[in-house]
Amino acid sequence: MSWKATVLTLFPSMFPDTLGVSLVGQAREKGIWSLDVRDIREHGIGRHRAVDDAPAGGGPGMVMRVDVAAASIDAARAGEPDRPSLYLSPRGKPLTQAKVSSLSRAPGVLLLCGRFEGLDERAIEARGLEEVSIGDFVLAGGEIAAMALIEACVRLLPGVLGCESSRAEESFEGGLLEYPQYTRPQSFEGRDIPPVLVSGHHEEIARWRRAQAEKLTKTRRPDLWSLYETRHG
Ligand code: SAH
């Protein structure tokens, strides 16, 4: 059975967008994964299909209603196998490649995209949503975050990337950032490809790449570097 992403959103027309092109889009056409986008407003209240209301206790903006969010989740879950249910949220645990990799091994994901000031806390509790963030910045809605998560998961599904072995060397896979990449032309505005890469010495190339990856990680991401050192030191 193929990996399935269900997205609950107030703006279904934002999809598939980037998820419809290139390797990820082709994988969808091949049936490696499927996208089920649902409009939360279908579960809105009354004639105007209201989905939000003023925050209890006062303050700016509007909050997505718990009854609407819960009804939307329940409808999406009906008849589906158990899948991790996530609420995209700046308060969530920052998404990592390790988490992406584990989600890509699940039957799929159910993603709730917030808007406005966020979601009534009781929806998170009552439906057991896990909060995940795509970084320490605030978006206007969860849709772009959902697309980022889905795209990262789908490229790990078997048969999506052209070359499966390219994964092992990527940023984060081994706890390091990736080494610099080059391709033709050999010389550009006086900058040459590092000679070792055109030497044909596979061992030296591997050693050079490892050293570059370590140097980059050490200078750019001391947080990742100290984790790496603890593991490999
Ligand atoms: N008032 C909220 C922010 C609401 S932003 C707060 O301070 O926490 C509106 C919606 O955008 C959120 O409900 C969430 O679904 C989405 N969103 C914003 N930033 C995000 C991020 N960094 N990662 C994932 N989702 C995010």
Side-chain angles (χ1 to χ4, degrees):
M1 222 187 47
S2 81
W3 194 84
K4 179 169 176 177
T6 295
V7 180
L8 311 180
T9 171
L10 288 169
F11 298 95
S13 67
M14 286 179 76
F15 292 85
D17 199 78
T18 174
L19 301 173
V21 303
S22 191
L23 292 174
V24 170
Q26 286 157 23
R28 187 166 159 235
E29 277 160 24
K30 283 190 222 156
I32 295 175
W33 72 287
S34 65
L35 181 62
D36 171 28
V37 179
R38 292 161 179 251
D39 191 347
I40 297 171
R41 198 168 293 280
E42 281 175 23
H43 303 276
I45 309 292
R47 209 158 50 85
H48 297 292
R49 299 241 167 250
V51 294
D52 57 347
D53 212 326
M62 299 292 267
V63 174
M64 192 183 292
R65 292 175 60 118
V66 55
D67 46 3
V68 174
S72 173
I73 293 166
D74 294 347
R77 278 179 177 168
E80 291 284 334
D82 255 4
R83 290 174 292 167
S85 302
L86 313 177
Y87 168 49
L88 284 313
S89 155
R91 300 189 322 184
K93 204 167 168 187
L95 189 62
T96 61
Q97 188 66 10
K99 179 68 177 176
V100 163
S101 174
S102 111
L103 293 174
S104 76
R105 280 180 265 110
V109 289
L110 187 149
L111 306 176
L112 178 64
C113 303
R115 279 274 158 178
F116 330 117
E117 285 306 314
L119 175 62
D120 188 309
E121 189 72 17
R122 294 168 295 177
I124 300 169
E125 296 164 6
R127 291 301 178 267
L129 304 181
E130 187 183 345
E131 288 181 80
V132 276
S133 165
I134 64 158
D136 290 344
F137 46 85
V138 181
L139 298 163
E143 287 78 9
I144 289 176
M147 286 178 199
L149 184 150
I150 294 169
E151 186 168 301
C153 288
V154 167
R155 64 191 289 288
L156 298 185
L157 298 174
V160 175
L161 287 191
C163 178
E164 298 294 330
S165 68
S166 69
R167 267 197 63 182
E169 307 220 329
E170 264 175 356
S171 290
F172 311 118
E173 282 292 342
L176 294 175
L177 301 179
E178 195 181 62
Y179 49 79
Q181 299 272 19
Y182 300 86
T183 187
R184 279 182 287 233
Q186 160 65 31
S187 186
F188 176 72
E189 295 180 352
R191 296 165 191 271
D192 292 345
I193 294 177
V196 59
L197 297 181
V198 290
S199 68
H201 292 126
H202 296 294
E203 263 173 48
E204 272 179 42
I205 292 172
R207 211 175 309 127
W208 181 87
R209 286 179 164 167
R210 167 133 233 123
Q212 292 287 320
E214 290 182 354
K215 195 174 103 189
L216 270 178
T217 310
K218 210 184 227 164
T219 52
R220 290 190 188 172
R221 293 292 302 272
D223 57 324
L224 291 181
W225 179 249
S226 64
L227 267 181
Y228 178 79
E229 276 196 311
T230 334
R231 261 193 239 132
H232 296 81

